[in-house]
Amino acid sequence: MEDEILKRYFQDKMKQIDIANELNISKYKVSRVVTKDSRYNEEKERRKLSSEQKHKEKTIDYIKSKRRTKIQDEVYQQLQQLHKQASQELSGRKTISNIAYRNWNTSAYKYNEKTKSYHLRNGIIAGFDVPKEIKWQNY
Protein backbone atom coordinates (compact mmCIF):
# COMPACT_ATOMS: atom_id res chain seq x y z
CA MET A 1 0.00 0.00 0.00
CA GLU A 2 2.83 2.41 0.89
CA ASP A 3 4.60 1.70 -2.38
CA GLU A 4 1.42 2.50 -4.28
CA ILE A 5 1.02 5.81 -2.41
CA LEU A 6 4.65 6.78 -3.04
CA LYS A 7 4.41 5.84 -6.72
CA ARG A 8 1.31 7.94 -7.23
CA TYR A 9 2.74 10.92 -5.37
CA PHE A 10 6.28 11.01 -6.81
CA GLN A 11 5.90 9.43 -10.24
CA ASP A 12 2.32 10.24 -11.19
CA LYS A 13 2.52 13.67 -9.49
CA MET A 14 -0.88 13.24 -7.86
CA LYS A 15 -2.07 15.34 -4.94
CA GLN A 16 -2.36 13.71 -1.53
CA ILE A 17 -6.12 14.25 -1.38
CA ASP A 18 -6.57 12.66 -4.82
CA ILE A 19 -4.51 9.64 -3.78
CA ALA A 20 -6.59 9.27 -0.62
CA ASN A 21 -9.84 9.43 -2.57
CA GLU A 22 -8.65 6.99 -5.21
CA LEU A 23 -7.34 4.43 -2.73
CA ASN A 24 -10.24 5.03 -0.36
CA ILE A 25 -8.04 5.81 2.64
CA SER A 26 -7.68 8.88 4.85
CA LYS A 27 -5.62 11.82 3.66
CA TYR A 28 -3.69 11.70 6.94
CA LYS A 29 -2.48 8.18 6.16
CA VAL A 30 -1.25 9.39 2.77
CA SER A 31 0.40 12.41 4.36
CA ARG A 32 2.25 10.27 6.92
CA VAL A 33 3.58 7.91 4.27
CA VAL A 34 4.65 10.67 1.90
CA THR A 35 6.32 12.94 4.48
CA LYS A 36 8.47 10.10 5.80
CA ASP A 37 10.07 9.63 2.37
CA SER A 38 13.45 11.29 1.79
CA ARG A 39 12.34 12.79 -1.54
CA TYR A 40 9.41 14.66 0.04
CA ASN A 41 11.08 18.04 0.74
CA GLU A 42 12.58 18.23 -2.72
CA GLU A 43 9.25 17.31 -4.35
CA LYS A 44 7.39 19.80 -2.16
CA GLU A 45 9.75 22.59 -3.24
CA ARG A 46 9.41 21.62 -6.91
CA ARG A 47 5.62 21.68 -6.66
CA LYS A 48 5.72 25.01 -4.87
CA LEU A 49 7.84 26.58 -7.64
CA SER A 50 5.58 25.09 -10.28
CA SER A 51 2.52 26.47 -8.53
CA GLU A 52 4.09 29.93 -8.28
CA GLN A 53 4.93 29.84 -12.00
CA LYS A 54 1.36 28.84 -12.91
CA HIS A 55 0.02 31.62 -10.70
CA LYS A 56 2.26 34.18 -12.43
CA GLU A 57 1.12 33.00 -15.87
CA LYS A 58 -2.55 33.15 -14.88
CA THR A 59 -2.05 36.63 -13.42
CA ILE A 60 -0.40 37.83 -16.64
CA ASP A 61 -3.21 36.32 -18.71
CA TYR A 62 -5.80 37.96 -16.47
CA ILE A 63 -4.12 41.37 -16.78
CA LYS A 64 -3.86 41.03 -20.57
CA SER A 65 -7.51 40.04 -20.75
CA LYS A 66 -8.56 43.03 -18.65
CA ARG A 67 -6.47 45.40 -20.77
CA ARG A 68 -7.92 43.91 -23.96
CA THR A 69 -11.45 44.36 -22.61
CA LYS A 70 -10.70 47.94 -21.57
CA ILE A 71 -9.30 48.77 -25.01
CA GLN A 72 -12.31 47.18 -26.70
CA ASP A 73 -14.64 49.20 -24.47
CA GLU A 74 -12.79 52.41 -25.33
CA VAL A 75 -12.93 51.65 -29.05
CA TYR A 76 -16.63 50.88 -28.77
CA GLN A 77 -17.27 54.16 -26.95
CA GLN A 78 -15.35 56.05 -29.64
CA LEU A 79 -17.40 54.31 -32.31
CA GLN A 80 -20.62 55.22 -30.50
CA GLN A 81 -19.50 58.84 -30.32
CA LEU A 82 -18.70 58.90 -34.05
CA HIS A 83 -22.07 57.35 -34.82
CA LYS A 84 -23.84 59.89 -32.64
CA GLN A 85 -21.99 62.75 -34.31
CA ALA A 86 -22.73 61.43 -37.80
CA SER A 87 -26.39 60.96 -36.91
CA GLN A 88 -26.61 64.53 -35.67
CA GLU A 89 -24.95 65.84 -38.82
CA LEU A 90 -27.17 63.87 -41.16
CA SER A 91 -30.47 64.07 -39.32
CA GLY A 92 -30.63 67.78 -38.75
CA ARG A 93 -33.53 69.80 -40.14
CA LYS A 94 -31.36 71.46 -42.74
CA THR A 95 -30.48 69.47 -45.83
CA ILE A 96 -26.92 69.10 -46.97
CA SER A 97 -25.83 69.54 -50.54
CA ASN A 98 -24.83 66.62 -52.72
CA ILE A 99 -21.25 67.89 -52.67
CA ALA A 100 -21.22 68.02 -48.88
CA TYR A 101 -22.65 64.49 -48.73
CA ARG A 102 -20.01 63.23 -51.18
CA ASN A 103 -17.25 64.92 -49.17
CA TRP A 104 -18.61 63.34 -46.01
CA ASN A 105 -18.80 59.89 -47.63
CA THR A 106 -15.91 59.84 -50.11
CA SER A 107 -15.42 56.07 -50.19
CA ALA A 108 -18.93 55.52 -51.62
CA TYR A 109 -18.29 57.48 -54.80
CA LYS A 110 -16.04 57.02 -57.81
CA TYR A 111 -15.10 59.85 -60.16
CA ASN A 112 -15.89 59.38 -63.84
CA GLU A 113 -13.57 61.52 -65.97
CA LYS A 114 -15.74 61.15 -69.06
CA THR A 115 -18.90 62.57 -67.50
CA LYS A 116 -17.06 64.84 -65.02
CA SER A 117 -19.21 63.50 -62.20
CA TYR A 118 -19.10 61.20 -59.22
CA HIS A 119 -21.09 57.97 -59.37
CA LEU A 120 -22.13 55.74 -56.50
CA ARG A 121 -19.85 52.68 -56.50
CA ASN A 122 -21.23 49.34 -57.63
CA GLY A 123 -22.50 47.11 -54.87
CA ILE A 124 -23.41 49.95 -52.51
CA ILE A 125 -27.04 49.80 -51.53
CA ALA A 126 -28.37 53.24 -50.66
CA GLY A 127 -31.71 54.83 -49.89
CA PHE A 128 -33.73 56.89 -52.33
CA ASP A 129 -32.45 60.16 -50.91
CA VAL A 130 -28.78 59.33 -51.55
CA PRO A 131 -27.55 60.89 -54.82
CA LYS A 132 -26.52 58.25 -57.34
CA GLU A 133 -24.66 60.77 -59.52
CA ILE A 134 -23.18 64.13 -58.55
CA LYS A 135 -22.23 66.49 -61.35
CA TRP A 136 -18.89 68.05 -60.52
CA GLN A 137 -18.28 70.45 -63.41
CA ASN A 138 -20.41 73.21 -61.91
CA TYR A 139 -18.39 73.36 -58.68
Side-chain angles (χ1 to χ4, degrees), residues 20-35:
N21 290 337
E22 198 171 285
L23 298 178
N24 203 19
I25 57 176
S26 74
K27 60 184 178 179
Y28 304 109
K29 171 73 174 160
V30 174
S31 177
R32 271 186 254 125
V33 171
V34 169
T35 54

Side-chain angles (χ1 to χ4, degrees), residues 75-100:
V75 169
Y76 182 70
Q77 288 174 353
Q78 289 172 349
L79 183 64
Q80 280 184 319
Q81 183 62 31
L82 288 173
H83 178 71
K84 184 178 176 182
Q85 180 181 354
S87 295
Q88 287 173 345
E89 289 175 3
L90 292 175
S91 66
R93 292 197 182 266
K94 64 180 181 179
T95 58
I96 63 172
S97 69
N98 289 347
I99 300 299

Side-chain angles (χ1 to χ4, degrees), residues 102-129:
R102 185 248 161 233
N103 288 339
W104 178 77
N105 199 359
T106 57
S107 64
Y109 289 92
K110 182 178 182 181
Y111 186 71
N112 185 334
E113 186 68 40
K114 192 184 233 182
T115 61
K116 303 273 191 237
S117 62
Y118 281 92
H119 294 274
L120 198 60
R121 291 184 184 272
N122 290 336
I124 294 181
I125 300 171
F128 71 92
D129 57 342

Side-chain angles (χ1 to χ4, degrees), residues 23-72:
L23 298 178
N24 203 19
I25 57 176
S26 74
K27 60 184 178 179
Y28 304 109
K29 171 73 174 160
V30 174
S31 177
R32 271 186 254 125
V33 171
V34 169
T35 54
K36 286 180 186 176
D37 194 279
S38 60
R39 303 172 285 176
Y40 174 71
N41 288 329
E42 184 179 321
E43 181 66 22
K44 183 178 177 181
E45 189 63 30
R46 197 172 317 135
R47 288 184 185 204
K48 180 181 172 185
L49 292 174
S50 173
S51 178
E52 287 173 356
Q53 183 63 30
K54 285 179 187 177
H55 178 71
K56 285 179 185 177
E57 290 171 3
K58 285 183 180 181
T59 302
I60 289 169
D61 288 344
Y62 175 77
I63 291 170
K64 285 180 182 178
S65 172
K66 278 293 191 184
R67 285 181 183 161
R68 200 175 308 118
T69 302
K70 184 178 179 184
I71 289 170
Q72 288 171 346

